[in-house]
Structures are given as structure tokens and as C-alpha cells.
Amino acid sequence: MSGQTDGQARLRVIVADDQAAVREPLAAVLGLAEDIDVVAAAADGTEVLAAVAAGPVDVVLMDLRMPVLDGIETTRRLTEEHPEVAVVVLTTFADDDSILGALGAGARGYLTKNAGRQDITRAIRAAGAGQSVLDREVQNRLLATARTKAAAPAPGEAARQPLPDDLTPREREVLTLIGQGLSNRGIAEKLFISEATVKTHINNLFAKAHIRDRADAVRRAIGAGLA
């Protein structure tokens, strides 16, 4: 990460949106955060890739619908070529294709443009720390899609996926709450534990159950009958 402010590492962020009326004010607002440096503003995916190559960069705040190279393909290339760079999607689109396409390409966060400044900065910080953040609308959409697929499994596919026998009761509880759409903070409040403890349980859970990401965790929770 970049320079320190009062002992706190600053995140180097690119803001990518094809509309200058969105991109420039957003970059200006994010730049006011004491722990964020907006190092570039990009109008399309090719500009994002060039800025990352010139780096260093920690997080890209990515629009999906951009000319020349769209946000999903840009995210895919970043995941392959610069896995150390986290992507948080910020878009007006919350349809299944957009959400699953972005998360499948490697995005760590997905927000709609209804998100406020605090939501966006929180997602950027979480992504920079290796965590995932999905806003409520996106979580609800993923839950609905996963439940539909669980209710009608493909031919030959088991309706319920078994989980490893060595999951602890707490890890099952955490997976249940992920399946219900709760964030790490929500899980911590529900279980009266710290967010750091929640992250530890999630890391252990993902490793044991071979869960790729939060969207996969939601699907596994529903498939296992926990949500």
C-alpha cells in the first residue's frame, strides 16, 4: 500500500466510469477520505489496465457498462494479470448476468449506484483487506437465484450438497447466516462476536468446504438446507 497517514496505510484507488459527470465527483469525494488516494480516473477498461500497469494500485472501483473494454472483461484481465488488485463494482445494473458475470470474473465487491459514500468507502476498505462486500439488493438477488436453482437441480445433480463432517457448529452457524444474506458485521452482531472472529470462521469454513467466494457460500448454504 501507499504512504502512511497517522500510522494508517492508504489505499491507492482507481475510479472507472465512462461518464465524467459520475467519475470526477466520485473521485473527488473519495479523495477526501484520510486513508484513500485516488491515483487515476479512467473512462474505460483499457485506461484501467494502463493505470494499473503504471501502478501501484490496490483497488479499482469499476463501472460495468463502459466502451472499448467493459467492466466484466476488465475485471477478468485484472484477476488473471494483477491478482493483487481488488475490484469493487459500482453500477446501476443488478441483474443476474451482471452480478454473476462480475463476481465470476473476480470482483470482490458489488454495489449499486444507490450506495452512499460511506458504503462505497467501506467496500473499498474491505476489498483492500481481502474481504468481500455485496450490498443488500445484490445479496437478495443472489439468494433468490440460488434458491431457484436449489429447488430445481439439474438432471443428475444432488438437490443438497453435503458439507464436510469436520465443520464446527460455529462454522455451520456462520454459513447459515451467510446464506441468509448477512454481512460480516451482521454476523458478528448476531453471534455477539468480533468481526475478526467472524473472518477467522469464514476463512476456516471456506478452506474446509472448498468454497470459492461469498456467492458460492450462499449457494452451498442453500444446497445444504441451511438457508
Side-chain angles (χ1 to χ4, degrees), residues 67-149:
V68 186
L69 191 65
D70 67 22
I72 291 177
E73 181 58 28
T74 305
T75 299
R76 183 174 292 109
R77 294 193 189 182
L78 287 175
T79 300
E80 293 174 354
E81 300 169 14
H82 301 278
E84 75 283 0
V85 178
V87 173
V88 175
V89 170
L90 180 64
T91 180
T92 58
F93 300 94
D95 58 280
D96 288 354
D97 287 346
S98 296
I99 295 169
L100 296 175
L103 296 178
R108 288 188 193 163
Y110 197 111
L111 304 175
T112 66
K113 287 185 177 176
N114 293 325
R117 179 177 62 86
Q118 290 185 339
D119 296 323
I120 296 170
T121 53
R122 187 181 302 121
I124 288 172
R125 290 167 183 146
Q131 303 162 29
S132 297
V133 175
L134 308 176
D135 74 12
R136 178 63 61 179
E137 181 180 357
V138 172
Q139 289 183 25
N140 289 342
R141 187 86 186 194
L142 284 173
L143 283 169
T145 300
R147 286 189 174 117
T148 298
K149 290 182 177 179

Side-chain angles (χ1 to χ4, degrees), residues 151-167:
E157 180 183 1
R160 294 177 182 270
Q161 286 187 291
L163 293 169
D165 293 334
D166 61 345
L167 288 188

Side-chain angles (χ1 to χ4, degrees), residues 1-19:
M1 292 184 183
S2 54
Q4 306 277 326
T5 298
D6 297 329
Q8 185 176 28
R10 296 173 63 86
L11 289 165
R12 298 160 296 209
V13 176
I14 294 173
V15 175
D17 195 296
D18 65 323
Q19 298 182 33

